[in-house]
Amino acid sequence: MLEININDTVYQFNAGMGFLREINKTMGAPIDGVPGEKQYIGLRYKIGCLFDGDLEALVDVLIAMNKGFVPRVTAKALDDYIEDANTDIDALFKTVLDFLGSANVTKKTVAMLQEEYKKLKAKQAENQ
């Protein structure tokens, strides 16, 4: 369980199966050879976005991880928290990625994408 204090309210976040189902629905890709069907890849897409520092993806992930908890975090509360000059955005990204990297449901995906991301960055550096 991840807890984040936002404006003196502690919100709980979890990367369980409910989160996986919720976040996967956010992105679909066609399946080769199966017309009209999609493979839902929202988790992989959002994790890639988190590696790139995408703030909208961070908000989407946090909202999905908070689903089912009371109190419920809102996009507005997260937006205000992110926009606050006192919020360490880099630390927030690290906290969320570390949590996703340790949760049973998401850790394999995070590890695989992290390795691919490192290879991509190394290749980009090599080409410069």
Side-chain angles (χ1 to χ4, degrees), residues 47-63:
I47 289 172
C49 291
L50 292 179
F51 286 145
D52 285 337
D54 185 318
L55 290 170
E56 287 182 282
L58 179 62
V59 169
D60 293 344
V61 166
L62 287 169
I63 287 173

Side-chain angles (χ1 to χ4, degrees), residues 4-119:
I4 300 175
N5 187 329
I6 300 172
N7 296 327
D8 297 323
T9 301
V10 176
Y11 295 95
Q12 294 179 324
F13 302 88
N14 188 33
M17 289 302 297
F19 161 74
L20 179 64
R21 288 183 187 102
E22 183 77 17
I23 205 72
N24 267 342
K25 291 180 201 173
T26 63
M27 176 68 66
I31 300 172
D32 288 338
V34 187
E37 291 297 318
K38 290 182 180 179
Q39 176 182 16
Y40 292 98
I41 59 167
L43 178 65
R44 287 179 270 167
Y45 179 76
K46 294 295 183 182
I47 289 172
C49 291
L50 292 179
F51 286 145
D52 285 337
D54 185 318
L55 290 170
E56 287 182 282
L58 179 62
V59 169
D60 293 344
V61 166
L62 287 169
I63 287 173
M65 286 194 328
N66 179 249
K67 189 170 184 177
F69 289 101
V70 175
R72 285 284 289 146
V73 72
T74 63
K76 172 85 169 105
L78 287 168
D79 290 352
D80 291 346
Y81 181 66
I82 287 169
E83 291 171 2
D84 187 326
N86 296 316
T87 300
D88 184 343
I89 296 301
D90 295 329
L92 183 58
F93 272 107
K94 182 176 179 355
T95 297
V96 171
L97 280 167
D98 287 350
F99 180 72
L100 291 171
S102 67
N104 275 346
V105 171
T106 56
K107 67 183 174 184
K108 282 185 137 185
T109 303
V110 171
M112 176 196 65
L113 291 172
Q114 196 167 33
E115 187 61 33
E116 291 299 316
Y117 189 76
K118 285 178 186 176
K119 288 178 186 175

